[in-house]
Amino acid sequence: MIYHELIVVGGGLAGLRAAVEAKKAGVDVAIISQVWPGRSHSGAAQGGVNAALANHPESADDTWEKHAFDTVKGSDYLADQDAVAQMTKDAIPIIYEMEHWGCPFSRFEDGRIAQRPFGGAGYPRTCYGADKTGHYMLHTMVEKAYEAGVAMYVEWFVGRLIVDEGVCRGVVAYDMISGGWTAFGAEAVIMATGGAGRTYGNSTNAIISTGFGMAMAYHTGVPLKDLEFVQFHPTGLLTTNILMTEGARGEGGYLLNDLGERFMERYAPKAMELAPRDITSRSIQTEITEGRGIGGKGYVHLDLRHLGAQKIQEKLPGIRDLAIHFEGVDPIEEPIPIVPSQHYSMGGIDTDMDGATVLPGFFAAGECACVSVHGANRLGGNSLLETVVFGRRAGAAAAAYVKALEEKFDSSTAARRAIAEVEERIDRLADNAVDGEDPYAIRLEMTTTMKEHFGVFRDAATMRVGLDTMYELKERVARAGLRCTVGVFNLDMIRTVELEGMIDVALGIAAGALNRTESRGSHSRTDHPDRDDTNWLKHTLAFYQPEGPRLEMKPVALGMFEPQERTY
Ligand SMILES: Cc1cc2nc3c(=O)[nH]c(=O)nc-3n(C[C@H](O)[C@H](O)[C@H](O)COP(=O)(O)OP(=O)(O)OC[C@H]3O[C@@H](n4cnc5c(N)ncnc54)[C@H](O)[C@@H]3O)c2cc1C
């Protein structure tokens, strides 16, 4: 058995930031990651990261309180306001820390970090590095983690948590390079495995953003919070759903329908293209449904041509490359065909502000966690921020937890049991190899069902059909077959093992969505079009049960801002 005092699962921005903080506190920490950390989905983030630096000429009087207000209003008042205040306050020093660590942010003429307008924000406060902000931040953090001496287990896939007498004591992982499952003993674990986008068939997320990290926590009894809130980004490429950053509209891009109208005028006359993502996605979907998509088809245009070649090449070079290579369209010359696409999981592992969960020794941070700072709708640029702010806090809290332990656990018996359970499960999948269910057919049905039944607009009848399908898939996945159980880089095994967890998370999204009889943020029901603060100003907690999720409610932390109607 391998042993480290603290194991961080995931080498994205949240995991790296947590590990660096814990290492600084003198704890022996290791990151286990399915991909080399620099290839995590954080590196795909384009548009930027929010902090009230007040560098932009139009944001001289910006403050963290205004950032907090925009975040809470954007969340449709479901965000916990104490957590939002913490994040927006910490934003300013943590961006300067990233700068001092070498992150190459774009700059204004006077040398200060540049900022651009983003959706739902009263001020231009999104700091950026061209349209590759996540890439720059991630590589800065990767260097920092290696410099700090964090141990790295790269290309290891974590398959389950080790829990002994109600305390988390490590993980079991598959070594992709050499083959075989190994136990990692630890005093504490931080889950930082990213979002669950790939439960949907139309996601902007990387293939590895499956939500399986959430599922591992869920299966041990840790509740998942607010799963029904799934963000659809307004501008994914038509054929691949690859993201065209909100920064494209921040730099002045237009959304146009078949009549050439800037249709956002009808839906958000003040904010126009920079309304929050939930509102913008619904507006696009409405244009499409009412027949004003381009050529009457299912998409609209993102038009950047008026920005000119120089601005596009300087500020949005990545967007241009992606549009050329994946859609065959050069935005300097043609408008880009786009559709709303699944983008972000507002929900996740229920944590407090220090990443702690109900399971002692188990913490979570980043997109797999739900603190909650995004409530029912996340503002663009707040997620990169969340990863570093709450990654740092989780790292510090887990380190303090480890250091306060009076004696180290001997988790070898629990570890042996956990490995045996993983191996039994693999054997069960192998027994079904010949006449079992095809896991890829199940996966496709899951992603199609989530896309079609739990999309931008929802209603009870459509969701009920989708939920029934998800229950059927849950039954079928128990009989899934695996042809090959050994060897190196056995991606077939990884994809099959995680599928059961993905279905449980998807079922949590579905059940939460059907249960919540109101419209709030990204959860928009045509049969319950209004927000209902009397009955629904509360979080959903989903608890795992083999027969399907049990839902409970949890109060929202209010106190700074009274819920108001949202207009933009
Ligand atoms: C295309 C795109 C653009 C975005 N743009 C922005 C933006 O401009 N601004 C913004 O604020 N937000 C943006 N976001 C959101 C933001 O990038 C993510 O929410 C954030 O980076 C997630 O970071 P993370 O550290 O939580 O997870 P990730 O970066 O997704 O990292 C997850 C890590 O977990 C590991 N992992 C997962 N499962 C396992 C397992 N079972 N075993 C071992 N390792 C595992 C992976 O290897 C990886 O290292 C964007 C997201 C996307 C998809």
Side-chain angles (χ1 to χ4, degrees):
M1 184 171 74
I2 299 172
Y3 174 84
H4 292 277
E5 286 177 310
L6 174 64
I7 297 283
V8 178
V9 186
L13 270 171
L16 290 163
R17 189 63 191 82
V20 165
E21 198 64 17
K23 188 76 192 177
K24 251 189 0 202
V27 166
D28 159 32
V29 50
I31 286 180
I32 304 181
S33 181
Q34 193 177 169
V35 297
W36 179 67
R39 297 184 64 84
S40 302
H41 187 65
S42 292
Q46 301 166 353
V49 54
N50 300 336
L53 303 185
N55 286 351
H56 192 284
E58 286 162 32
S59 68
D61 60 342
D62 197 9
T63 59
W64 71 262
E65 288 93 339
K66 290 175 178 160
H67 183 186
F69 172 73
D70 289 341
T71 301
V72 169
K73 181 179 171 192
S75 83
D76 224 346
Y77 294 90
L78 194 72
D80 285 327
Q81 298 187 10
D82 49 355
V84 170
Q86 188 69 53
M87 177 176 82
T88 53
K89 237 188 276 180
D90 285 356
I92 299 165
I94 215 157
I95 292 303
Y96 287 129
E97 179 183 73
M98 288 300 296
E99 181 194 36
H100 296 166
W101 285 353
C103 183
F105 288 114
S106 294
R107 286 169 191 281
F108 286 132
E109 293 275 290
D110 64 3
R112 292 187 299 168
I113 294 174
Q115 294 183 286
R116 59 165 57 126
F118 243 54
Y123 291 83
R125 72 163 73 92
T126 303
C127 312
Y128 60 94
D131 57 359
K132 299 179 173 141
T133 317
H135 179 84
Y136 294 155
M137 286 178 70
L138 183 63
H139 284 262
T140 304
M141 279 311 310
V142 168
E143 286 177 9
K144 207 69 203 165
Y146 278 107
E147 180 195 317
V150 172
M152 296 278 186
Y153 295 86
V154 173
E155 297 183 327
W156 285 73
F157 171 80
V158 173
R160 68 171 292 144
L161 295 173
I162 300 174
V163 178
D164 193 13
E165 292 174 15
V167 180
C168 184
R169 294 181 175 181
V171 301
V172 176
Y174 164 67
D175 177 355
M176 294 162 70
I177 298 174
S178 312
W181 294 87
T182 303
F184 286 74
E187 309 306 326
V189 171
I190 301 178
M191 198 59 99
T193 44
R198 285 286 167 166
T199 51
Y200 276 76
N202 57 341
S203 179
T204 66
N205 287 193
I207 297 281
I208 57 170
S209 300
T210 60
F212 183 57
M214 297 178 193
M216 285 189 270
Y218 190 42
H219 289 154
T220 66
V222 177
L224 301 182
K225 186 162 69 195
D226 291 342
L227 284 181
E228 62 269 31
F229 296 102
V230 175
Q231 177 161 82
F232 294 87
H233 195 290
T235 59
L237 281 182
L238 173 63
T239 44
T240 53
N241 302 108
I242 291 175
L243 186 78
M244 297 286 102
T245 174
E246 191 167 301
R249 283 169 284 134
E251 295 294 349
Y254 297 152
L255 291 172
L256 302 176
N257 64 13
D258 196 42
L259 308 172
E261 293 172 319
R262 284 180 71 190
F263 55 83
M264 285 306 295
E265 216 164 26
R266 272 196 281 284
Y267 307 95
K270 254 176 48 210
M272 295 290 288
E273 280 86 355
L274 289 178
R277 290 175 178 175
D278 55 340
I279 294 174
T280 312
S281 288
R282 281 197 287 279
S283 309
I284 295 173
Q285 196 58 53
T286 305
E287 292 295 306
I288 292 172
T289 310
E290 293 181 356
R292 293 186 295 278
I294 306 300
K297 301 205 182 104
Y299 65 96
V300 298
H301 275 148
L302 170 63
D303 195 352
L304 307 182
R305 290 173 297 180
H306 57 286
L307 303 181
Q310 198 194 340
K311 190 165 184 183
I312 293 175
Q313 278 158 354
E314 224 174 84
K315 298 280 184 67
L316 302 164
I319 289 306
R320 180 169 178 239
D321 278 352
L322 291 169
I324 290 173
H325 294 307
F326 291 93
E327 204 63 50
V329 164
D330 182 348
I332 293 176
E333 278 148 25
E334 289 169 89
I336 314 169
I338 54 95
V339 280
S341 305
Q342 190 290 343
H343 182 57
Y344 185 82
S345 315
M346 261 79 73
I349 300 165
D350 179 31
T351 71
D352 69 8
M353 273 199 265
D354 291 317
T357 68
V358 292
L359 177 63
F362 181 70
F363 300 76
E367 192 172 336
C368 73
C370 180
V371 177
S372 133
V373 283
H374 309 305
N377 173 61
R378 168 175 78 86
L379 291 190
N382 268 352
S383 172
L384 289 178
L385 178 61
E386 177 194 13
T387 63
V388 284
V389 166
F390 292 101
R392 176 170 70 175
R393 291 180 68 89
Y401 169 87
V402 169
K403 287 163 86 176
L405 291 173
E406 282 173 6
E407 53 179 336
K408 303 268 144 119
F409 294 125
D410 172 13
S411 36
S412 50
T413 311
R416 270 194 297 277
R417 203 166 48 230
I419 291 231
E421 278 168 22
V422 169
E423 284 170 351
E424 263 166 42
R425 174 132 180 267
I426 305 280
D427 287 346
R428 171 161 60 82
L429 292 166
D431 287 344
N432 294 333
V434 179
D435 48 11
E437 291 275 352
D438 173 0
Y440 297 93
I442 297 177
R443 184 182 282 248
L444 182 62
E445 229 180 289
M446 167 188 71
T447 56
T448 310
T449 304
M450 294 311 287
K451 174 180 165 186
E452 289 176 359
H453 295 259
F454 301 92
V456 173
F457 287 108
R458 302 166 170 185
D459 65 78
T462 312
M463 287 193 286
R464 207 160 275 133
V465 175
L467 187 65
D468 288 346
T469 310
M470 291 309 304
Y471 274 114
E472 271 168 38
L473 293 178
K474 186 166 166 57
E475 270 183 46
R476 282 172 55 194
V477 79
R479 302 189 302 274
L482 175 64
R483 281 155 297 189
C484 175
T485 61
V486 292
V488 300
F489 281 97
N490 189 343
L491 295 178
D492 187 24
M493 178 172 74
I494 291 178
R495 297 286 92 93
T496 307
V497 164
E498 70 189 0
L499 183 60
E500 202 169 327
M502 288 177 83
I503 286 184
D504 284 328
V505 171
L507 200 51
I509 297 173
L514 184 59
N515 187 51
R516 187 176 279 272
T517 48
E518 64 156 356
S519 288
R520 182 184 298 275
S522 66
H523 176 64
S524 182
R525 290 187 59 153
T526 49
D527 53 349
H528 294 278
D530 297 324
R531 193 176 84 196
D532 174 0
D533 286 340
T534 315
N535 295 304
W536 288 108
L537 184 54
K538 43 197 174 188
H539 300 293
T540 306
L541 290 184
F543 291 84
Y544 176 75
Q545 301 180 131
E547 64 273 23
R550 178 173 63 79
L551 303 180
E552 265 181 29
M553 294 295 144
K554 181 175 170 175
V556 174
L558 303 168
M560 253 178 113
F561 310 108
E562 277 301 305
Q564 299 166 7
E565 203 192 324
R566 285 200 314 164
T567 51
Y568 285 97

